[in-house]
């Protein structure tokens, strides 16, 4: 796929985005809670901020903020919302800056790109020597995916759901695959974990769950990362 076609696809997704809707937005907010203890003082680079749900929480920390997104639609909105931030419309593997960052965040990025290892190897050159890379992706072994296979709604746990296809996902990660991409990128994995013990689809949850139920199951996922809906890695330079 050439770059121009890719940009067009990303803008199409942005115009019909579900990233900031209901339960999906709550997963982004919770991932910030997971990441927060690892965000130290210093410049932050966020890749794929989309509507800026996590961006809003990072911005409140008062850090210097650089944002990179492949959608011009999202970039235009981000410039309006965060006038102090540096916003770049770029594919991640083509982005370049002279800056070094204390924190690089990839919230639901690696499942979208053609070559995750290429992206990780590229962005680590922008990481400060004592900085961290924080990444989160969907977990193929999530209990809701396993249940969907049992019900015949998915052919296997890594099959694409309707939501995966809507967001043009390229893969759904297992724990081992997620770890392996960081190992192949020659990064040191400080921590790997999960959050959001999700037994049902977003639509089913949104129809009947209270905010308290969602909050409880977000936290329960930390106790059962192997079957949580979301998995994350905290990585550093070797």
């Amino acid at each position: 796929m050439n770059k121009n076609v890719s940009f067009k696809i990303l803008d199409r997704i942005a115009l019909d985005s579900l990233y900031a809707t209901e339960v999906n937005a709550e997963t982004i907010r919770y991932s910030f809670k997971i990441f927060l203890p690892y965000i130290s003082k210093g410049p932050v680079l966020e890749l794929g901020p989309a509507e800026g749900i996590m961006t809003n929480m990072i911005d409140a920390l008062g850090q210097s903020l650089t944002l990179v997104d492949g959608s011009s639609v999202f970039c235009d909105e981000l410039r309006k919302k965060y006038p102090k931030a540096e916003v770049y419309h770029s594919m991640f593997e083509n982005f370049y800056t002279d800056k070094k960052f204390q924190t690089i965040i990839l919230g639901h990025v690696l499942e979208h790109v053609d070559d995750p290892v290429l992206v990780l190897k590229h962005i680590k050159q922008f990481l400060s020597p004592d900085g961290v890379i924080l990444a989160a992706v969907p977990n193929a072994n999530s209990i809701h995916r396993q249940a969907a296979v049992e019900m015949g709604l998915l052919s296997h746990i890594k099959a694409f759901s309707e939501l995966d296809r809507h967001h043009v996902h390229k893969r759904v990660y297992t724990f081992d695959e997620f770890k392996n991409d960081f190992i192949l990128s020659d990064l040191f994995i400080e921590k790997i974990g999960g959050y959001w013990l999700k037994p049902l689809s977003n639509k089913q949850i949104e129809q009947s769950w209270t905010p308290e139920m969602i909050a409880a199951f977000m936290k329960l996922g930390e106790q059962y990362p192997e079957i949580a809906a979301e998995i994350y890695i905290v990585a550093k330079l070797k």
Side-chain angles (χ1 to χ4, degrees):
M1 183 182 293
N2 67 52
K3 186 170 69 173
N4 290 332
V5 172
S6 297
F7 280 135
K8 288 178 181 178
I9 289 173
L10 292 172
D11 280 342
R12 175 179 60 78
I13 294 169
L15 290 170
D16 188 24
S17 174
L18 299 176
Y19 296 129
T21 57
E22 301 188 58
V23 173
N24 203 68
E26 288 305 311
T27 66
I28 297 171
R29 294 187 184 101
Y30 200 86
S31 65
F32 175 78
K33 294 180 183 179
I34 294 288
F35 290 161
L36 184 57
Y38 304 97
I39 301 175
S40 56
K41 188 173 182 180
V44 178
L45 169 63
E46 185 185 8
L47 302 180
E51 288 96 341
I53 292 177
M54 186 177 293
T55 313
N56 191 53
M57 303 171 88
I58 301 167
D59 186 57
L61 299 176
Q63 317 280 58
S64 169
L65 189 54
T66 299
L67 309 173
V68 181
D69 204 283
S71 165
S72 62
V73 174
F74 283 147
C75 286
D76 289 344
E77 289 302 312
L78 291 165
R79 290 186 184 100
K80 294 174 187 175
K81 290 179 183 177
Y82 308 103
K84 293 182 180 179
E86 293 185 19
V87 180
Y88 293 86
H89 178 218
S90 174
M91 296 299 180
F92 305 130
E93 54 268 44
N94 297 329
F95 168 71
Y96 188 80
T97 179
D98 291 328
K99 281 189 174 182
K100 296 289 184 182
F101 299 92
Q102 192 64 26
T103 309
I104 298 178
I105 298 176
L106 302 92
H108 285 257
V109 164
L110 295 176
E111 69 269 29
H112 290 272
V113 300
D114 289 329
D115 190 337
V117 174
L118 175 66
V119 170
L120 288 169
K121 285 182 175 180
H122 178 69
I123 66 163
K124 74 178 187 179
Q125 68 181 302
F126 310 127
L127 191 64
S128 297
D130 60 343
V132 293
I133 293 176
L134 307 173
V137 298
N139 180 14
N141 280 300
S142 171
I143 191 170
H144 84 286
R145 284 186 171 272
Q146 295 189 51
V149 172
E150 291 295 328
M151 291 185 287
L153 300 176
L154 292 178
S155 58
H156 53 89
I157 58 171
K158 296 181 69 176
F160 289 157
S161 67
E162 182 180 345
L163 194 60
D164 292 320
R165 289 190 291 271
H166 180 88
H167 287 146
V168 194
H169 287 173
K170 301 291 179 70
R171 65 192 58 78
V172 185
Y173 275 102
T174 64
F175 256 97
D176 287 343
E177 289 166 341
F178 194 29
K179 288 190 291 187
N180 195 50
D181 277 354
F182 281 80
I183 292 167
L184 291 173
S185 303
D186 201 30
L187 288 160
F188 171 74
I189 298 174
E190 181 175 293
K191 185 173 182 179
I192 184 166
Y195 56 96
W196 187 207
L197 191 64
K198 176 185 175 183
L200 303 169
S201 71
N202 283 4
K203 185 180 293 186
Q204 290 168 317
I205 289 168
E206 289 163 0
Q207 287 172 347
S208 58
W209 284 34
T210 65
E212 292 78 13
M213 291 170 69
I214 294 170
F217 277 79
M218 288 283 178
K219 188 171 181 60
L220 278 171
E222 295 184 56
Q223 298 179 39
Y224 305 99
E226 293 84 2
I227 57 170
E230 310 280 323
I231 50 180
Y232 69 91
I233 276 177
V234 179
K236 294 184 174 182
L237 297 174
K238 287 186 174 179

